[in-house]
Each structure stands twice: as structure tokens, then as C-alpha cells.
Amino acid sequence: MISPVFIAHGSPMMALEDTAASRFLEELGGKLRPKAVVVFTAHWEDRELKLSSPDGPFETIYDFGGFSPELYAKKYPAPGWPELRSQLAQRFREAGIAVKETDRGLDHGSWVPLSRMYPEAHIPVVQISVNPNLSPEEHFRIGSVLRGLPEEDILVMGSGVTVHNLRRIEWGKPRDRAVEPWAAAFDDWLIEKLERHDLNALFSYEQQAPHAREAVPTPEHFVPLFIAAGSASPGSKPAVIHRSYEFGVLSYLSLQF
């Protein structure tokens, strides 16, 4: 059994740099050896749920700008698994959720963390979009459609960030500076509510969580957490598997459900 995870993908440079977060991903990949990875990525927003898994290797999408030329030369040609994509699409349809199947490439919300976890790019991937306009409850329900995949050794991954306010980054200050109290307070609250399975509070995080507006100015990076949590078996115990910060405000909090 391979439990679902929420992974903070952070900066695209995590694909190249040696950091606490990149080392964590390398260690996690050594522990988890799934038959396939189903990843919900914050960098594929769509009003309709879309599933991508080509008959052949994925294209690598560079959906960012201004980074090192070395980053744009990096490829992650993970194999697709169209049969699994179709099976998952049928699950969603049976649950009353409209879906569309495509062959879109892997964006950096997917290939950056996967390149650290599985650098050989040998594990099949199904990439799925998110709709940030949906409520937390609806995202949790989307995840619940995939319950049972952990028993099949298929890893469900939500790829995003909890505290993700790039406007609060002070680029002239040290990258390893101490975490800002407001950012730590939001993650502390989130961890406590997850450990207590307090779904009512979590679904109302915008009203209840401290500094929610600062931590989550837009929801696209946060909603993969609800999807990953929803895909876990009822009664599972969420656990923090990594926590670090960059620039005092960019969280690399990662969780297993």
C-alpha cells in the first residue's frame, strides 16, 4: 500500500539545486516505488477535470521564465499509461464528474518533484488538472473518487504549496532566513486540523485559519492538498513528512495521508 501525499513543488530550480526539499524528495522516492503516479498539479488549471497520459513519453513543459538555461535543457520523458487514464476517467464519470482525456505534457508542478523522486523517469504518470473555483469540499470529493488506488500501489500526489505568496518574498534577503511567524502560524493551524480530522475547519480555512489571506492569496496551489486528503482511506492518520521554508515565506510543507 502506498499512501497519498501532498508535495510542495516550490521553485522550478528544485529540479537542479541541492536543498533540504530536494533531498527530501530523493529520500521519499527511494521509499515509495509505485506502479504509477497520479498527480494533480497546481499548474494545470481548467474548469473541466482533464486527465493526461499519452501513449508514449510525456512532453516536458517549461511553464516559467527567467531561470537558468540548464533548467530549460532538462527533460522528463516519463511514460504515459492511457489504459489507467481511461479507468480513472470512468471512475469520475460514474461519480457524476465530467472529464476529458488528453495528451498534455507534464508541467513543472509535476515533472520537477518527480525528477527528484524518480530521476530515471521510468514510472508511468497520469496528470490531472485542478479547478481552483471549486470549494474545498468539492476537491475533497474529487479525491475520494480515487480511494482504493493506494491498495493497488498507485501513488496519488497533490502537487502545490501551502504558504504561497510570492509578493511577500524579499529577494534581497537570505534564502535561508527564518520563517515569518505568520507563515508558520498558518502551517501550524493546518497541521493541527489535519491531525484532528477537523474537516469542517479545514473546509472553512479562509475564515478560520490565521493569516489565510496572506498564506493563500489564490487557491490553485492549495487545493491539491484537499484532493490528496480526500483520496486517503477513511481513518488514515495524516503525517508531516517534510517541513522547510525559503525566503521566510515559501513553505515546503509536505504531508502523507
Side-chain angles (χ1 to χ4, degrees):
M1 176 172 172
I2 297 181
S3 299
V5 294
F6 172 78
I7 297 298
H9 63 248
S11 165
M13 288 300 291
M14 189 166 67
L16 300 177
E17 295 177 335
D18 179 25
T19 65
S22 67
R23 290 191 294 274
F24 152 70
L25 289 174
E26 291 170 356
E27 293 171 2
L28 184 65
K31 297 174 183 176
L32 306 180
R33 309 304 291 184
K35 292 192 298 185
V37 179
V38 176
V39 55
F40 290 83
T41 169
H43 289 277
W44 187 10
E45 298 179 44
D46 203 289
R47 298 188 67 86
E48 183 179 23
L49 193 68
K50 292 184 176 178
L51 289 73
S52 176
S53 199
D55 185 11
F58 273 93
E59 174 192 1
T60 305
I61 298 176
Y62 306 99
D63 51 337
F64 45 74
F67 289 90
S68 163
E70 186 181 359
L71 188 59
Y72 299 93
K74 193 169 179 63
K75 306 286 185 182
Y76 193 75
W81 190 351
E83 294 81 9
L84 178 60
R85 179 190 68 191
S86 296
Q87 291 170 18
L88 300 181
Q90 184 60 28
R91 282 197 187 201
F92 286 117
R93 294 188 184 105
E94 291 174 355
I97 299 172
V99 298
K100 182 177 180 180
E101 298 180 57
T102 80
D103 291 332
R104 180 183 186 270
L106 293 178
D107 61 58
H108 84 269
S110 298
W111 71 261
V112 167
L114 288 174
S115 70
R116 302 311 299 245
M117 295 173 68
Y118 308 114
E120 305 92 344
H122 66 296
I123 295 179
V125 175
V126 177
Q127 181 177 247
I128 306 182
S129 66
V130 299
N131 180 355
N133 297 311
L134 299 180
S135 68
E137 293 96 328
E138 290 171 304
H139 287 107
F140 191 87
R141 178 172 175 261
I142 288 171
S144 72
V145 174
L146 302 183
R147 287 178 182 170
L149 291 184
E151 285 77 10
E152 300 177 34
D153 288 338
I154 295 174
L155 175 62
V156 178
M157 177 191 298
S159 176
V161 182
T162 55
V163 181
H164 186 262
N165 191 335
L166 301 183
R167 293 184 178 181
R168 292 299 304 270
I169 294 178
E170 298 181 62
W171 298 104
K173 292 190 176 182
R175 186 172 176 176
D176 60 351
R177 56 182 292 221
V179 59
E180 290 287 335
W182 64 265
F186 180 83
D187 276 350
D188 287 342
W189 180 91
L190 180 62
I191 293 166
E192 181 206 359
K193 300 307 179 186
L194 285 168
E195 290 177 342
R196 291 174 54 189
H197 293 276
D198 191 345
L199 292 180
N200 289 331
L202 289 164
F203 292 161
S204 302
Y205 78 92
E206 291 178 287
Q207 294 76 37
Q208 296 195 34
H211 311 286
R213 189 176 297 274
E214 282 184 289
V216 187
T218 57
E220 77 288 336
H221 276 74
F222 196 53
V223 296
L225 182 143
F226 292 109
I227 297 171
S231 71
S233 301
S236 63
K237 296 182 178 180
V240 175
I241 51 178
H242 179 75
R243 187 175 183 179
S244 64
Y245 296 84
E246 288 187 345
F247 301 105
V249 297
L250 181 59
S251 176
Y252 282 89
L253 176 67
S254 297
L255 302 126
Q256 191 165 44
F257 298 96

